[in-house]
Amino acid sequence: MFLRQLKYLVCVSITLTISGGLFAQTTVKLATVAPEGSPWANELAKIKKKIESESQGQIKFKIYPGGQMGGENEILQQVIRGKLQGAGLTAGALANTVKELNVLEIPYLFNSYAQADCVLDDHLQEDFRKLFEAKGLIFVTWAENGYRSIGTKSAPVKTPDDLKGVKIRIQESPVHIAYWKQLGVSGIPIAIPEVLPSLQTGVVEGFDNTPLFTLAAEWQTAIKYFTLTRHIYQPAAILYSKKFWDTLNDEQKKTLMGEGNKLAPGARQAVRSIEKNMIATLKKADVVVYEPSNADLAGFKAAANAVSGQVIGKIGGQSKQIFDKIQKAKAACGG
């Protein structure tokens, strides 16, 4: 009797092992600076629900929104080290590690959302997948922050001359730094969680970001003016830690990767569909929103032309090849 029971237990143990560890639970801690309730955080919540359901509880997600795990640079380093299993981060932050992403941050690089989608999805996805993996990151899908514009406290910005000497919070990226310097701005890199208090105390007089992020982070409470320069289209990405990824079996990887880049259109569309409402909300919050004319934008675009020449040669890696491929892809994708 005892031998039969022992054989039964051994058989059960072998069966569980062969099945790929279906009864072992994996926890994925995923962080973002996107505030809770924002389209980005909501999209991550959908991904969490989908993966937990498909894995039948084998994979559990814990999402940390709103910069709970620090600014984007801090989150990125935690993912690379494997302390966090995943993240949703902007290209500007990721470019500090994957240098070639700086190319995507060049001001006025893309003429439209459709052009950006075509270039990123159809022409550059595999290039960046390899570049991410070489830096300890597993690419899941592109997302986006959108088109960045300028918010200020004391005076409206209509041309670059209005920015001379103004202290602006900038993203810590070579392209961003070069662009604001070209505009004559006193740029101060500040992590996302510290931007609002810095605006309130006068450490900075303004910032650049999307209308949606401005409202989601409540930065509109500290400004009076918002100028729709739309100077940088900023993609983002959802990524996993390669250190974490390499511990998983094939079934877990398949579930976590989901439908890959098919997740992106929903996430992007959620951001884009409410842009007009966000601009209207800024106005309701007594923020004066200015839509620059083509003549107003000419100065901003001229500064951008100078920046691309400055940074491409300095970024290193495959940046020149990526830039050239973007130009060729833009011609194929149209406007």
Side-chain angles (χ1 to χ4, degrees), residues 3-29:
L3 288 175
R4 284 201 300 270
Q5 288 176 330
L6 182 59
K7 287 179 182 178
Y8 173 77
L9 291 172
V10 169
C11 287
V12 170
S13 176
I14 292 172
T15 301
L16 293 180
T17 302
I18 293 174
S19 69
L22 289 177
F23 292 89
Q25 191 178 93
T26 297
T27 299
V28 177
K29 295 179 181 178

Side-chain angles (χ1 to χ4, degrees), residues 162-320:
D162 297 324
L163 284 166
K164 301 297 183 187
V166 177
K167 294 183 294 183
I168 296 286
R169 179 269 171 180
I170 65 172
Q171 192 154 356
E172 195 171 359
S173 150
V175 175
H176 287 242
I177 292 169
Y179 184 55
W180 290 107
K181 185 177 181 180
Q182 191 70 32
L183 290 170
V185 169
S186 178
I188 303 175
I190 299 173
I192 290 289
E194 300 303 318
V195 174
L196 183 55
S198 296
L199 287 165
Q200 292 168 335
T201 58
V203 173
V204 290
E205 292 293 313
F207 60 86
D208 80 311
N209 218 307
T210 63
L212 175 54
F213 196 95
T214 297
L215 288 160
E218 298 187 346
W219 294 355
Q220 86 285 356
T221 61
I223 60 170
K224 292 182 180 179
Y225 306 97
F226 197 84
T227 303
L228 296 169
T229 50
R230 300 183 177 93
H231 51 278
I232 291 176
Y233 169 75
Q234 189 168 59
I238 297 174
L239 307 139
Y240 295 125
S241 164
K242 189 175 187 302
K243 282 190 175 182
F244 161 68
W245 191 255
D246 289 343
T247 68
L248 303 174
N249 60 41
D250 289 343
E251 186 173 353
Q252 290 169 324
K253 289 178 180 178
K254 183 179 178 181
T255 302
L256 280 169
M257 190 57 68
E259 296 177 350
N261 209 56
K262 291 181 182 178
L263 293 169
R268 295 175 194 161
Q269 203 54 47
V271 171
R272 296 170 190 176
S273 64
I274 61 174
E275 184 177 41
K276 288 183 179 179
N277 289 340
M278 295 299 97
I279 292 171
T281 302
L282 282 173
K283 293 177 180 179
K284 288 179 182 177
D286 294 327
V287 174
V288 178
V289 177
Y290 181 68
E291 182 80 58
S293 66
N294 288 334
D296 293 334
L297 291 174
F300 292 102
K301 291 182 177 180
N305 291 335
V307 167
S308 60
Q310 290 173 18
V311 299
I312 291 298
K314 296 179 181 178
I315 295 170
Q318 299 178 37
S319 297
K320 180 63 166 61

Side-chain angles (χ1 to χ4, degrees), residues 55-67:
S55 70
Q56 298 180 344
Q58 182 193 9
I59 300 172
K60 291 290 184 182
F61 259 73
K62 176 64 176 174
I63 297 174
Y64 297 89

Side-chain angles (χ1 to χ4, degrees), residues 27-192:
T27 299
V28 177
K29 295 179 181 178
L30 191 147
T32 178
V33 297
E36 194 164 3
S38 66
W40 307 288
N42 292 342
E43 198 64 31
L44 289 175
K46 290 178 186 177
I47 293 172
K48 162 187 162 72
K49 183 177 180 180
K50 185 174 186 293
I51 289 175
E52 288 184 346
S53 174
E54 290 184 357
S55 70
Q56 298 180 344
Q58 182 193 9
I59 300 172
K60 291 290 184 182
F61 259 73
K62 176 64 176 174
I63 297 174
Y64 297 89
Q68 292 180 37
M69 292 297 179
E72 290 199 300
N73 291 334
E74 289 85 357
I75 290 171
L76 175 58
Q77 292 309 311
Q78 290 179 77
V79 174
I80 292 171
R81 294 197 304 268
K83 185 176 179 182
L84 286 171
Q85 287 73 46
L89 298 166
T90 63
L94 289 164
N96 291 318
T97 296
V98 182
K99 303 299 183 184
E100 291 84 354
L101 280 166
N102 282 292
V103 177
L104 302 182
E105 298 281 297
I106 291 173
Y108 300 104
L109 179 67
F110 296 116
N111 299 326
S112 66
Y113 283 125
Q115 187 183 72
D117 288 347
C118 178
V119 171
L120 293 176
D121 292 343
D122 301 337
H123 297 269
L124 285 178
Q125 189 177 131
E126 287 308 310
D127 296 84
F128 277 107
R129 190 184 301 279
K130 293 173 184 176
L131 291 168
F132 280 126
E133 187 162 358
K135 296 297 184 178
L137 300 162
I138 299 297
F139 175 81
V140 180
T141 179
W142 292 115
E144 76 178 24
N145 186 21
Y147 278 100
R148 298 173 76 101
S149 291
I150 302 170
T152 50
K153 293 176 62 175
S154 303
V157 172
K158 296 184 178 181
T159 69
D161 287 341
D162 297 324
L163 284 166
K164 301 297 183 187
V166 177
K167 294 183 294 183
I168 296 286
R169 179 269 171 180
I170 65 172
Q171 192 154 356
E172 195 171 359
S173 150
V175 175
H176 287 242
I177 292 169
Y179 184 55
W180 290 107
K181 185 177 181 180
Q182 191 70 32
L183 290 170
V185 169
S186 178
I188 303 175
I190 299 173
I192 290 289

